[in-house]
Amino acid sequence: KALLRRAKEGFLKDIRAEELSFEKLEFLGNSARELNFRIVNKDRIIDAVGKARFYLVDKTIYVVMAIESNYDGQEKIIQQFLDSFKFLS
C-alpha cells in the first residue's frame, strides 16, 4: 500500500534512520508492515536498531515501535513487546 510506504518513509526521515527491511504483514484482515531499521551516527557507527509496525485500520495508520540503543541482541524482547499490543474495538 502506498500509504504505508509513505508513512515508513516519513518515519525514517524523522528519526534519521536507515531501512533494513520492510515486510508485509496482515493484522485482523487489515494491511500491515514491519520495518527493521538502524540509526547510525556521523561516523557510520550503529547507534541503535529497532522495529516498527505500521497498521492500516480503516483510514487510520497506527505505529508501534521499539528501539534498542545498546545493540546486544535483544531482538526476542523487542518482538515480544511488539506482539503484546492488541487493538480493542
Side-chain angles (χ1 to χ4, degrees), residues 27-83:
F27 179 75
L28 301 174
N30 298 290
S31 294
R33 302 289 186 275
E34 182 172 272
L35 170 67
N36 288 285
F37 61 91
R38 68 178 171 209
I39 301 170
V40 295
N41 64 23
K42 61 181 165 102
D43 297 321
R44 306 294 302 155
I45 297 171
I46 297 173
D47 281 339
V49 295
K51 286 187 180 205
R53 288 188 182 164
F54 298 78
Y55 302 100
L56 179 59
V57 180
D58 296 322
K59 294 181 181 181
T60 303
I61 293 180
Y62 298 92
V63 180
V64 179
M65 72 167 185
I67 296 176
E68 179 183 359
S69 60
N70 297 321
Y71 184 63
D72 57 3
Q74 296 296 319
E75 185 171 329
K76 186 175 181 180
I77 293 172
I78 289 174
Q79 196 70 36
Q80 289 173 336
F81 172 76
L82 293 174
D83 290 343

